[in-house]
Amino acid sequence: QVHLVESGGGSVQAGGSLRLSCAASGYTACMGWFRQPPGKEREGVALILPGGGNTYYADSVKGRFTISQDNAKNTLYLQMDSLKPEDTAMYYCATRSSTWCPGDYLHRPYVFGYWGQGTEVTVSS
């Protein structure tokens, strides 16, 4: 049984930073962050391969967001810098049991079988 719990969301002004955390229990392999802006579909933000290997980012966040993980704590992180109003969304972490984790899975949230409850991020201009 996999359980994911996100934290770290909040309200911040444009240009600010936030760090999201996702505490995981159970077996996790390919992990990622997704977001769902108000009134829009869920979209991929970043992926990380098992063991902290390759990372993949959506073009909209490259150079501003950093995904990382602490294997000892079984925790996934998303450092978000230079935040923009368009980053406003509910942010979710997700994982799948398989170690197969290509970059295009950013565009295929349905392949992830386990999701957290989400943490809200609001960026004001």
Side-chain angles (χ1 to χ4, degrees), residues 7-124:
S7 61
S11 296
V12 64
Q13 288 192 326
S17 298
L18 284 173
R19 188 195 196 202
L20 306 184
S21 299
C22 174
S25 60
Y27 178 74
T28 59
C30 172
M31 297 196 75
W33 287 99
F34 294 80
R35 67 186 182 186
Q36 188 163 13
K40 297 185 178 181
E41 293 187 353
R42 194 167 298 190
E43 60 186 24
V45 175
L47 295 180
I48 188 165
L49 269 63
N54 288 353
T55 56
Y56 302 98
Y57 295 93
D59 288 343
S60 59
V61 306
K62 277 181 183 176
R64 301 188 298 120
F65 291 11
T66 304
I67 188 171
S68 64
Q69 62 185 166
D70 184 330
N71 292 320
K73 296 181 179 179
N74 208 10
T75 300
L76 183 72
Y77 301 102
L78 185 69
Q79 177 66 41
M80 305 187 296
D81 298 317
S82 302
L83 282 161
K84 304 176 180 179
E86 50 264 44
D87 295 318
T88 294
M90 185 71 79
Y91 283 72
Y92 300 89
C93 70
T95 189
R96 59 193 308 265
S97 300
S98 171
T99 57
W100 181 242
C101 195
D104 69 353
Y105 277 10
L106 277 174
H107 309 294
R108 300 169 65 180
Y110 51 85
V111 304
F112 289 82
Y114 303 97
W115 293 83
Q117 83 290 346
T119 186
E120 191 167 6
V121 172
T122 303
V123 184
S124 57

